[in-house]
Amino acid sequence: DAGVIQSPRHEVTEMGQEVTLRCKPISGHNSLFWYRQTMMRGLELLIYFNNNVPIDDSGMPEDRFSAKMPNASFSTLKIQPSEPRDSAVYFCASRRRTDMGSQHFGDGTRLSIL
Amino acid sequence: QKEVEQDPGPLSVPEGAIVSLNCTYSNSAFQYFMWYRQYSRKGPELLMYTYSSGNKEDGRFTAQVDKSSKYISLFIRDSQPSDSATYLCAMTPGGNEKLTFGTGTRLTIIP
C-alpha cells in the first residue's frame, strides 16, 4: 500500500507569496491531520478532519492559514500571504478511525519563506 | 507549562547499551500513550502503543506507563546504530482524538 503522499517535498518562496501544500491520505483512512514541526515548538497539530469535515482548527495560527479536504483522497493547506516565521516542516498524517491512536505520516514538506 | 514534557537531548550511547527515554505529562485524562520514531528528513512512524498503565514489550523495545506519576518510558535493549533517530512520545485521552506530542529526544547510537 502506498503511504501518505505529500507534495511538494521542498518549497522555497518569497515573503508575501501564496503557498499551497498538498496531501493524499492512505486509501480507506477517514481521519486526516496537518502538523507543523519546528525545532523550538516541536510537532504542533494545526487542524484535523474526520470524513472530510474539519473537526478542530484551534491550532491554525492565523487567518493566513486555511485547509480544505474536498474529498476523501485529497487535502490542501494554504498560507496566504506567507511570512518568514511560517518556515517549518509541514506534515500530513492519516488514520483509520478504528486504529486507536495510530497515525501514519507523510515525509513532509520543508517550507522556507525568504 | 506544556502538557507533555520531554528532554530534547541529544543523547549519545555506545552500541549495545540500554537506552531509557522518558516523558512526563500533566493531563490526567490521557489514557493512550504512544512512542513514535522519526528518522532524519522523514515523517514520524508509530513504534509502540499502550493503553493505560503497565508495560508492553515488542522485541528490543519496552514501553512503560505509570499513570500515578504521570510518567512514561521507552527502553531500548541491545541498542543498534539503526536506532539513531528522534523519539517522540504522544498521548491522547481517547483513541479517536487528537494526539499531544512531546518535543522529541534525539538519540545517537555510537558504533
Side-chain angles (χ1 to χ4, degrees):
Chain A
D1 279 345
V4 174
I5 299 172
Q6 291 187 245
S7 64
R9 289 296 313 275
H10 300 90
E11 176 87 9
V12 181
T13 191
E14 292 187 347
M15 182 175 65
Q17 296 298 306
E18 178 178 292
V19 173
T20 300
L21 310 181
R22 297 173 177 80
C23 175
K24 178 179 170 55
I26 293 173
S27 178
H29 285 193
N30 42 19
S31 295
L32 184 139
F33 305 80
W34 281 102
Y35 291 90
R36 178 172 67 179
Q37 187 175 42
T38 61
M39 290 290 290
M40 291 296 296
R41 300 172 68 91
L43 197 61
E44 301 175 284
L45 177 67
L46 301 176
I47 185 171
Y48 80 96
F49 297 81
N50 283 343
N51 296 319
N52 313 338
V53 176
I55 302 300
D56 185 343
D57 66 354
S58 60
M60 297 285 262
E62 299 172 33
D63 290 346
R64 299 184 296 106
F65 285 70
S66 62
K68 293 182 179 179
M69 191 164 187
N71 56 62
S73 59
F74 184 67
S75 178
T76 59
L77 178 68
K78 188 173 293 187
I79 308 173
Q80 166 63 21
S82 57
E83 297 183 4
R85 60 195 168 114
D86 301 331
S87 298
V89 182
Y90 290 79
F91 287 103
C92 175
S94 70
R95 184 194 71 194
R96 189 180 295 116
R97 291 196 72 191
T98 53
D99 291 343
M100 306 290 269
S102 174
Q103 296 182 15
H104 299 257
F105 284 78
D107 283 338
T109 295
R110 189 171 295 269
L111 177 63
S112 296
I113 308 297
L114 306 178
Chain B
Q1 183 186 3
K2 292 181 179 178
E3 275 191 300
V4 179
E5 299 279 358
Q6 183 175 10
D7 187 338
L11 180 64
S12 295
V13 300
E15 182 176 356
I18 296 175
V19 176
S20 173
L21 304 168
N22 312 290
C23 287
T24 59
Y25 63 95
S26 57
N27 187 348
S28 58
F30 288 142
Q31 296 280 349
Y32 297 82
F33 304 90
M34 284 135 275
W35 286 95
Y36 281 78
R37 178 175 62 195
Q38 184 176 19
Y39 291 115
S40 180
R41 298 186 177 271
K42 291 289 190 178
E45 57 177 338
L46 182 65
L47 193 60
M48 297 285 288
Y49 171 88
T50 311
Y51 169 69
S52 195
S53 285
N55 294 358
K56 184 173 184 179
E57 188 173 321
D58 184 0
R60 296 184 295 109
F61 298 90
T62 300
Q64 285 187 352
V65 175
D66 181 349
K67 291 186 65 181
S68 62
S69 302
K70 297 187 176 67
Y71 188 87
I72 70 170
S73 301
L74 177 71
F75 297 96
I76 307 174
R77 291 185 301 280
D78 187 24
S79 55
Q80 304 294 311
S82 59
D83 296 328
S84 298
T86 297
Y87 290 80
L88 301 102
C89 62
M91 46 200 80
T92 178
N96 286 330
E97 296 183 36
K98 60 186 181 182
L99 300 178
T100 301
F101 282 85
T103 52
T105 299
R106 187 173 176 182
L107 172 68
T108 301
I109 307 300
I110 304 166

